[in-house]
Amino acid sequence: MVSLGNVLFNGLAYGMLLFVISVGLSVTMGLMGFANLAHGAFAMLGGYVATTLMNKAGVPFLLTLPVAFVAVAAVSFVLERVLYRRLYRAGELDQVLLTIGLVFMAVAGATYVWGPGQQPVRMPDYLTGQWTVAGIDIGVYRLFLILVGIAVTAALVLGIERTRFGAMIRAAVDNPRMAQGCGINVNRVFSLTFMAGSGLAGLGGAVGINLIGLDPGFPVKFMVYFLIVVAVGGLGSIKGSLIAALLLGVFDVGGKYYVPEAGAFIIYAVMVSLLLWRPAGLFGRR
Amino acid sequence: MVSLPVASPQASDAARPSRAVTRLERRSRWRWHEILFWLSVASCPLIVPDDLVLASQVLIAGLFALSLDLLLGYGGIVSLGHAAFFGVGAYAAGLLARHGWGEPVSGLLLSGALAGLLGFALSFIIVRVRGIALLMVTLGVSLVLHEAAVKGYAVTGGDDGLQGIAVDPLLGMFPMDMWGRTAFGYSLAVAFAGFLLARRLVSSPFGLALQGMRENGRRMAAIGAPLRRHSALIYTVSAALAGVAGALLTQTTEFVSVEVLGFQRSAEVLIMLILGGAGHLYGAFIGAAVFMIVRDQLAAANPEYWFFWLGLMLVLVVLFARGGIIGGVGTIAYGLGARFRKGGTR
């Protein structure tokens, strides 16, 4: 029997990873009103950037992370300019269709470039290994994930509450017309926010390979998880995303340990019933 | 109990025919290109005798897309998990046949009714949520069912699918043959019946109210249309029709795979409908035909990467051809017609 402490620790690590990947989606769906189902494809791209750099060019793991962030942010910038921007005013159906199309293209493209199999990764020695503290097995890599999650949360909270750009985001979200009138370029603010969110997905994809793997099916396989985090947490709410991601992580890991025969059933059922109870999510504003 | 307001021609003839009723009657009149369409579909065994299996798959997919068209194209209700009903119908027909109820027509109706019942139960939820949450709930429901089918190995066969389905000869006379002749005739009859039902529905006052809700829900509410009841009704009908399509697939292929409930199935039917043109009864069938044929060709030519072309097709349709194929043809025909009329008066 797996101890509760282990489930909690592993669940938190998994949840933090889900949070890092999905918080950008929360921004896109909540603040910009865009149903971006291709968010997982951004995460996958980050993962491939990192593995390619490590395996082909011998770049150290920690250095691949900022590169993955920047590369994915750049790609998302182009996509936003060329495709997404045209559909801001369209209904969510058109947005869903466009982004499903992008997912299909990303899956086939990744298969073409990197092959259909799982990507092999070798983590640096200082991130492997395990300690046992008070009967809980603490994997160093999972601890690293939790630290990354905490760092991202802190950066987001500080960035939005303490910086000038953060104030502009808050203004643009609360009242876009008023913000525009005050001389804030709302389009540019949103587009930069979108880039940052996608970059975080890329970062999450890169740090996540060791835990959840990487293959061309990634965007479809995990799409639902990211959507659950966003929908349950409440669109556009960082706090909501964090809590939803951690809950999802703990319940998913716990479910896999204790009731493996139920599979993902519990998670989906929890999502549907939570959304019935509060259609706008736990911390949704609408 | 939900009662349908049905326009009765006799009653309105007795009184003075109102403008709305005459317009409804004009809408429901058969046009020559509709008759041509169904005649050409019916002549498939003569034109493409070797591709009847694909042709029946197209008809089944078209019926499934038609069920989504009623919900999305006419009702304006978006669903990311319409495969839930298709899959329930498919499994119901398979399980019935496996447990001794091999008679196809009654099995088909029963499976459709079961899917409709599920749709009716879920409609209480559906009418309460809107926007992105609606997408999530519909997706979530289909995922729950998919997961249940995967894990319920004892009943559903899990990932291996449901095998050993024996369907009785159709009407006691026509056994399913390997060239798909019976399957084609059966699919054609069911798809046409479903089409007639949908056609009757969308040109009824209820159908018009539905389209009004799609265009402007607030205004319809203001003139007293019961929005939630209408939404629930169309959701139920759409679910039942999707279930019939699923059951038809099971009976003509004598196999159920767990992917009938998968997300990809829901995405594909959306693509077919958008490709053909949502909000138009023929859009579903034309989209299904184009999608299935293109997929067939692409998968044969490029088995590993056809997904890429599918995605590209979708992106292009969303960006440049909002009305789908029907919309595009309509625009061109309207333009030609305008030019022709202008030339005629000169």
Side-chain angles (χ1 to χ4, degrees), chain A residues 79-131:
Chain A
L79 283 177
E80 202 257 353
R81 277 295 150 98
V82 178
L83 297 176
Y84 285 38
R85 175 156 291 187
R86 292 157 170 260
L87 292 181
Y88 279 148
R89 279 169 209 286
E92 62 249 5
L93 176 66
D94 281 334
Q95 300 168 348
V96 161
L97 287 167
L98 176 88
T99 50
I100 288 181
L102 289 179
V103 167
F104 286 171
M105 289 167 79
V107 168
T111 315
Y112 181 76
V113 179
W114 288 286
Q118 283 273 341
Q119 282 294 303
V121 275
R122 212 183 112 60
M123 283 296 132
D125 290 338
Y126 54 84
L127 284 178
T128 53
Q130 187 165 300
W131 307 319

Side-chain angles (χ1 to χ4, degrees), chain A residues 29 34-35 37 83 86-87 90 92-94 96-98 100-102 104-105 107-109 111-112 116 220 223-224 227 231 235 260-265 268-269 271-272 275-277 279, chain B residues 72 78 80 125 128-133 135-137 139-141 143-145 147-148 151 263-264 267-268 270-271 274 304-315 318-320 322:
Chain A
M29 301 234 289
F34 199 104
L37 296 195
L83 297 176
R86 292 157 170 260
L87 292 181
E92 62 249 5
L93 176 66
D94 281 334
V96 161
L97 287 167
L98 176 88
I100 288 181
L102 289 179
F104 286 171
M105 289 167 79
V107 168
T111 315
Y112 181 76
V220 181
M223 180 183 81
V224 183
L227 288 173
L235 302 175
E261 60 278 3
F265 193 87
Y268 301 149
M271 173 183 82
V272 172
L275 282 176
L276 289 181
W277 174 47
Chain B
L72 172 66
V78 188
L80 257 193
I125 297 171
R128 290 184 49 220
V129 279
R130 283 267 154 258
I132 291 177
L135 293 177
M136 298 297 102
V137 171
L139 177 67
V141 167
L143 289 172
V144 167
L145 290 173
E147 202 63 26
K151 298 291 174 186
F263 169 70
Q264 197 179 323
E268 278 178 2
L270 256 178
I271 297 173
I274 299 304
E304 251 179 292
Y305 312 118
W306 67 271
F307 247 67
F308 182 85
W309 304 109
L310 181 65
L312 187 66
M313 197 159 81
L314 189 54
V315 169
V318 173
L319 287 181
F320 301 113
R322 284 287 176 77

Side-chain angles (χ1 to χ4, degrees), chain A residues 45-246:
Chain A
L45 181 65
Y48 276 116
V49 167
T51 49
T52 308
L53 284 175
M54 280 162 71
N55 296 342
K56 295 270 154 59
V59 179
F61 174 68
L62 288 182
L63 203 60
T64 63
L65 300 183
V67 180
F69 180 93
V70 173
V72 174
V75 169
S76 78
F77 173 75
V78 175
L79 283 177
E80 202 257 353
R81 277 295 150 98
V82 178
L83 297 176
Y84 285 38
R85 175 156 291 187
R86 292 157 170 260
L87 292 181
Y88 279 148
R89 279 169 209 286
E92 62 249 5
L93 176 66
D94 281 334
Q95 300 168 348
V96 161
L97 287 167
L98 176 88
T99 50
I100 288 181
L102 289 179
V103 167
F104 286 171
M105 289 167 79
V107 168
T111 315
Y112 181 76
V113 179
W114 288 286
Q118 283 273 341
Q119 282 294 303
V121 275
R122 212 183 112 60
M123 283 296 132
D125 290 338
Y126 54 84
L127 284 178
T128 53
Q130 187 165 300
W131 307 319
T132 305
V133 180
I136 300 173
D137 298 325
I138 299 203
V140 176
Y141 194 79
R142 289 189 163 80
L143 193 62
F144 170 70
L145 281 181
I146 293 180
L147 292 178
V148 170
I150 292 173
V152 166
T153 313
L156 281 173
V157 170
L158 288 179
I160 287 179
E161 289 186 355
R162 295 288 163 80
T163 64
R164 189 178 143 77
F165 186 72
M168 282 157 77
I169 295 179
R170 279 179 286 143
V173 168
D174 283 341
N175 194 335
R177 284 181 64 186
M178 190 71 176
Q180 191 89 46
C182 293
I184 295 174
N185 187 339
V186 172
N187 279 337
R188 212 185 61 190
V189 168
F190 278 162
S191 139
L192 286 173
T193 316
F194 179 69
M195 278 172 74
S198 310
L200 279 179
L203 174 70
V207 293
I209 313 163
N210 201 26
L211 194 66
I212 55 179
L214 182 67
D215 65 89
F218 184 94
V220 181
K221 204 162 38 177
F222 290 101
M223 180 183 81
V224 183
Y225 280 76
F226 309 145
L227 288 173
I228 292 178
V229 169
V230 173
V232 169
L235 302 175
S237 159
I238 291 177
K239 185 172 75 176
S241 295
L242 180 64
I243 291 172
L246 293 180

